[in-house]
Amino acid sequence: MEISEKLLCLFSADVTAEGDRYTVEVPRREIDTGSIEPGETYRVALIATGEQLEKGESGGRPPSEPQPPVEVGEIRYVEIEDIGKQGDGIARVERGYVIIVPGADIGERVKVEISEVKSNFAVGDVIE
């Protein structure tokens, strides 16, 4: 998860119902330390707790699309199955997700570090 440099404060709070509105209470310490000011407008991000994630709760919305099965910095062993139009090795992992491996040849089994992740492909640099 990427966290913005504009993050002013981080705290846990309950969401309470008040008629047709919902409220997130801000702890007094956030006001006292000057992180935020009463009367100002702020953007709020809500993150599910570990308990909610374990239950599989997602706020009632299905994910818009499957998330990539790899992350930047992840180390993987992959087998090069094909060569792309620009001569790069092509490996496929979970759900057919493509990892582009520059400098690799068909049939090679290589250890790569994922350097870039997009929704439909990733780039992995050979490290061994």
Side-chain angles (χ1 to χ4, degrees):
M1 174 186 336
E2 189 172 320
I3 297 177
S4 171
E5 293 177 13
K6 297 178 182 180
L7 179 69
L8 299 175
C9 59
L10 181 65
F11 57 87
S12 294
D14 292 325
V15 177
T16 56
E18 295 178 3
D20 63 344
R21 298 181 67 169
Y22 296 87
T23 303
V24 176
E25 291 186 24
V26 176
R28 179 166 203 84
R29 70 178 178 275
E30 301 301 338
I31 305 295
D32 292 344
T33 61
S35 296
I36 56 178
E37 296 289 328
E40 295 293 322
T41 301
Y42 297 93
R43 179 173 287 173
V44 176
L46 302 175
I47 302 170
T49 64
E51 183 178 307
Q52 290 165 320
L53 294 173
E54 287 172 12
K55 291 179 185 175
E57 295 176 18
S58 62
R61 288 165 292 180
S64 58
E65 59 185 61
Q67 296 301 306
V70 297
E71 295 180 357
V72 171
E74 183 175 339
I75 306 294
R76 286 270 187 135
Y77 285 96
V78 296
E79 187 168 335
I80 306 304
E81 301 173 8
D82 204 353
I83 296 294
K85 291 179 183 175
Q86 297 179 343
D88 298 324
I90 304 289
R92 288 181 179 78
V93 293
E94 296 90 318
R95 301 185 316 268
Y97 186 81
V98 170
I99 299 178
I100 299 171
V101 184
D105 292 320
I106 292 178
E108 280 188 290
R109 183 160 172 78
V110 292
K111 184 177 181 181
V112 297
E113 180 174 0
I114 305 300
S115 59
E116 183 178 352
V117 175
K118 301 290 185 187
S119 62
N120 57 346
F121 75 94
V123 177
D125 301 314
V126 177
I127 57 175
E128 242 181 54

